[in-house]
């Protein structure tokens, strides 16, 4: 289980990269392959809708804009962890992990589980 937040971007390969959390506290990048663009549309729309609803509620209450890290969408995922390496300005190699999603499930507006993608290749 991951919790996704409505911070999204696309890279040069058209992968959708969403910010999310593992165990509610470890922040990671979650990759959805560009070849799955059509399948990832409902997920992207749901994240945008959550953000829009949170902004409208805050505006109606006269409150500050919502903290995007508190707007979370639980998603069950299957995929693989990948290590990413970078060289910093001083020449040190640093790294992080991100999750590449093969198949995912989430609840639709009616509360039914909807699944997308294909099982990971073993």
């Amino acid at each position: 289980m991951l919790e996704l937040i409505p911070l999204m971007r696309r890279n040069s390969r058209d992968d959708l990269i969403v910010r999310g959390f593992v165990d509610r506290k470890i922040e990671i990048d979650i990759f959805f392959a560009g070849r799955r663009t059509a399948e990832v549309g409902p997920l992207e729309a749901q994240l945008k809708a959550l953000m829009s609803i949170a902004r409208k509620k805050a505006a109606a209450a006269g409150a500050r804009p919502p903290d995007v890290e508190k707007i979370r969408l639980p998603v069950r995922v299957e995929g693989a962890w990948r290590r990413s390496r970078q060289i910093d300005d001083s020449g040190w190699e640093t790294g992080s992990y991100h999750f590449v999603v093969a198949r995912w499930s989430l609840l639709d507006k009616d509360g039914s589980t909807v699944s997308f993608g294909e099982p990971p290749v073993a």
Side-chain angles (χ1 to χ4, degrees):
M1 285 297 294
L2 298 176
E3 293 179 320
L4 306 182
I5 62 174
L7 283 178
M8 301 172 278
R9 67 185 191 280
R10 291 203 181 263
N11 64 15
S12 61
R13 292 187 318 248
D14 205 30
D15 299 333
L16 177 65
I17 305 163
V18 181
R19 202 55 129 156
F21 290 87
V22 177
D23 295 332
R24 304 189 59 94
K25 60 186 174 287
I26 302 167
E27 191 171 349
I28 63 167
D29 284 332
I30 299 121
F31 283 67
F32 295 85
R35 68 179 180 276
R36 300 184 196 275
T37 297
E39 291 178 284
V40 82
L43 173 72
E44 198 171 3
Q46 196 165 356
L47 284 167
K48 288 177 181 177
L50 284 174
M51 186 66 185
S52 177
I53 290 166
R55 282 183 177 150
K56 286 178 185 174
K57 283 182 181 178
R64 294 182 0 200
D67 179 3
V68 72
E69 290 189 5
K70 299 209 183 307
I71 303 167
R72 298 185 179 198
L73 175 66
V75 178
R76 182 170 301 280
V77 298
E78 292 179 63
W81 288 99
R82 297 282 165 86
R83 183 161 168 79
S84 171
R85 293 188 179 126
Q86 301 89 25
I87 305 284
D88 67 15
D89 294 337
S90 60
W92 288 94
E93 184 175 293
T94 60
S96 62
Y97 288 91
H98 57 264
F99 193 81
V100 180
V101 178
R103 183 165 54 179
W104 64 98
S105 300
L106 54 103
L107 296 178
D108 67 6
K109 63 181 175 182
D110 301 322
S112 300
T113 301
V114 184
S115 296
F116 301 91
E118 299 172 15
V121 177

